[in-house]
Amino acid sequence: DTSLAEVNSFSPSVPISPSSMINQYKFEDGPELRDLFITVDDPESHITAIETFITYRVVTKTTRGEFDSSEYEVRRRYQDFLWLKSKLEEAHPTLIIPPLPEKFIMKGMVERFSDEFIETRRKALHKFLNRIADHPTLTFNEDFKIFLTAQAWELSSHKKQGPGLLSRMGQTVRAVASSVRGAVKNRPEMFTEMNNYMETFSQKINLLDKIAHRIYKEERDYFNEMKEYGPIHTLWSASEEDIADSLKGIASCIDRCCKATEKRMAGLSEHLLPILHEYVLYSEILMGVLKRRDQIQGELDSKVDALASKKTEKDVFSEEIEKLEDKVERANNALKADWDRWKQNMQWDMRSSFTNVAENNLRYYEE
């Protein structure tokens, strides 16, 4: 759908092959010179009397002056990543914070703590940190720096300095209360367009995600059936001398189809499913960001209304309105800049993902 990404359709005159297909896309150049490189690797299991959890090694290399060293190595568990995400959302409510994989990713497809599950999560955590590192604002967040550099006990101590549970509950209650006060009266047209875009995008990306999972399940069922039929034909050939060669040929063909299908499934699980699901999560994040922008706008609108009805307190309200106008302007500018970055990244990811899948499918059918 051209509303998701503006891409050129393939010309029927061009020969359809993986190489010619991939070459029809002109991908954007890579990021500018970077000064912060992060790797998430080496998952390690920890079993205690209370719980079982995985930690990941986070290696950071940098040339930035605000870091005391050029290289850091720390271990982090999933809860630490959740803490970082919540701190970034708290500090930058109208910026688009990258999504984290859910507690149980791809439910029904992989078992928790299996090698496949751990590797899927490692890749997602690696992408999460590098998206933050590539962001022009989030990359300089102090909590992000602490996450990358502090030892486990230092991070634990820093976490305790955050707002308490009651304070966080109060913030949540206030946010919910302000979000249900009604529609924003003076929302700029561009943010209404963003909201409409995200509603459509959310429907489409969720549908694509469901279809992709259904395709993967059908491929897996087909693969499992073929795995049974190969040995059956081999055994059959032992008792049918006249057609033994034909039966062995069929068994060999089924085996080759099995291997091709397995590679195709690996392509789906690596290039398509994670990308689609990441943008399902992004759609939820974007809707939340737009709501938070509307809350700031709603607060400004209520003050303007109050000023109109209370002329005697004009000076006090005028000062508050000026502050809120400035806050709304900053929120709008932050979101507009991040919106453009997000759309560009999303379109690149979608083009890349679907091109990889198409190329993989072509190889599969050629085989």
Side-chain angles (χ1 to χ4, degrees):
D1 191 305
T2 53
S3 68
L4 291 184
E6 295 173 9
V7 296
N8 294 324
S9 59
F10 296 121
S11 170
S13 62
V14 178
I16 303 292
S17 69
S19 58
S20 67
M21 190 175 186
I22 198 78
N23 288 336
Q24 290 189 56
Y25 282 104
K26 300 296 183 184
F27 293 125
E28 290 85 352
D29 293 333
E32 295 177 4
L33 291 176
R34 294 170 58 192
D35 55 7
L36 186 63
F37 297 88
I38 304 168
T39 305
V40 178
D41 60 12
D42 191 26
E44 189 176 288
S45 296
H46 300 264
I47 302 173
T48 69
I50 301 173
E51 62 179 340
T52 299
F53 60 93
I54 308 291
T55 62
Y56 300 85
R57 181 174 65 174
V58 178
V59 178
T60 304
K61 296 182 180 181
T62 182
T63 56
R64 290 186 187 173
E66 63 264 28
F67 286 82
D68 297 330
S69 175
S70 61
E71 187 169 343
Y72 295 87
E73 182 179 315
V74 296
R75 295 204 74 85
R76 297 287 182 255
R77 57 184 296 185
Y78 181 76
Q79 289 180 355
D80 298 326
F81 287 85
L82 282 177
W83 168 83
L84 174 61
K85 184 173 185 292
S86 69
K87 296 298 286 184
L88 292 172
E89 288 173 343
E90 182 184 313
H92 309 282
T94 55
L95 289 183
I96 303 167
I97 311 301
L100 273 173
E102 299 103 324
K103 192 81 173 169
F104 300 99
I105 193 166
M106 293 201 294
K107 190 175 180 183
M109 293 179 62
V110 291
E111 293 296 322
R112 191 180 178 217
F113 297 135
S114 68
D115 290 344
E116 187 181 353
F117 172 87
I118 292 169
E119 177 59 13
T120 299
R121 173 167 284 184
R122 183 201 66 76
K123 287 179 180 177
L125 297 177
H126 176 87
K127 181 180 280 190
F128 170 74
L129 291 183
N130 278 279
R131 285 201 187 280
I132 296 170
D134 290 339
H135 193 282
T137 302
L138 299 178
T139 188
F140 297 107
N141 178 275
E142 187 61 26
D143 289 307
F144 180 48
K145 178 185 172 185
I146 290 168
F147 177 91
L148 297 176
T149 61
Q151 293 305 310
W153 65 269
E154 293 175 306
L155 182 64
S156 179
S157 174
H158 180 73
K159 283 183 182 180
K160 292 174 183 176
Q161 298 172 14
L165 177 62
L166 291 177
S167 172
R168 291 199 298 273
M169 285 176 64
Q171 291 169 5
T172 304
V173 170
R174 284 196 298 274
V176 171
S178 61
S179 67
V180 297
R181 283 176 189 163
V184 178
K185 291 187 297 183
N186 299 313
R187 179 199 282 157
E189 180 63 25
M190 79 165 297
F191 295 108
T192 299
E193 290 174 4
M194 280 187 192
N195 212 66
N196 295 338
Y197 180 97
M198 284 315 302
E199 286 178 2
T200 305
F201 178 83
S202 179
Q203 291 172 0
K204 290 183 179 181
I205 202 71
N206 274 280
L207 182 60
L208 284 170
D209 187 52
K210 288 177 183 175
I211 291 170
H213 277 81
R214 192 167 71 229
I215 289 170
Y216 184 87
K217 182 180 180 301
E218 289 173 358
E219 286 289 315
R220 186 178 58 190
D221 292 343
Y222 175 55
F223 172 74
N224 290 333
E225 284 182 10
M226 279 199 299
K227 277 207 306 188
E228 294 177 11
Y229 282 115
I232 287 173
H233 283 78
T234 302
L235 289 171
W236 187 8
S237 68
S239 59
E240 295 280 0
E241 291 184 9
D242 293 345
I243 55 172
D245 290 343
S246 297
L247 291 171
K248 286 177 182 177
I250 292 171
S252 174
C253 178
I254 291 173
D255 182 59
R256 288 199 303 275
C257 287
C258 260
K259 289 176 181 174
T261 303
E262 193 170 23
K263 282 194 289 185
R264 188 187 189 197
M265 287 165 58
L268 285 171
S269 63
E270 183 174 344
H271 297 300
L272 184 64
L273 297 180
I275 295 296
L276 290 178
H277 195 68
E278 181 183 15
Y279 279 95
V280 167
L281 299 178
Y282 255 129
S283 70
E284 296 168 4
I285 288 168
L286 262 294
M287 295 301 283
V289 169
L290 288 165
K291 273 187 180 177
R292 289 195 288 274
R293 194 221 70 86
D294 282 353
Q295 285 169 222
I296 298 170
Q297 179 85 53
E299 193 178 350
L300 170 61
D301 292 346
S302 68
K303 293 292 182 186
V304 171
D305 291 343
L307 176 60
S309 63
K310 295 186 178 180
K311 298 294 185 182
T312 54
E313 301 174 16
K314 185 176 179 180
D315 291 340
V316 176
F317 275 109
S318 294
E319 187 177 340
E320 289 185 11
I321 285 171
E322 284 180 14
K323 289 179 181 177
L324 283 168
E325 284 175 341
D326 182 55
K327 189 175 180 181
V328 168
E329 186 177 355
R330 281 187 279 114
N332 289 351
N333 290 337
L335 180 51
K336 279 191 284 188
D338 237 22
W339 174 261
D340 292 338
R341 285 186 78 258
W342 177 81
K343 277 189 74 175
Q344 188 176 4
N345 286 337
M346 178 269 290
Q347 290 172 357
W348 193 95
D349 283 341
M350 288 294 161
R351 284 205 297 276
S352 177
S353 177
F354 280 109
T355 304
N356 280 327
V357 170
E359 185 183 26
N360 191 39
N361 283 352
L362 285 167
R363 274 198 300 266
Y364 167 78
Y365 285 113
E366 284 171 358
E367 288 177 28

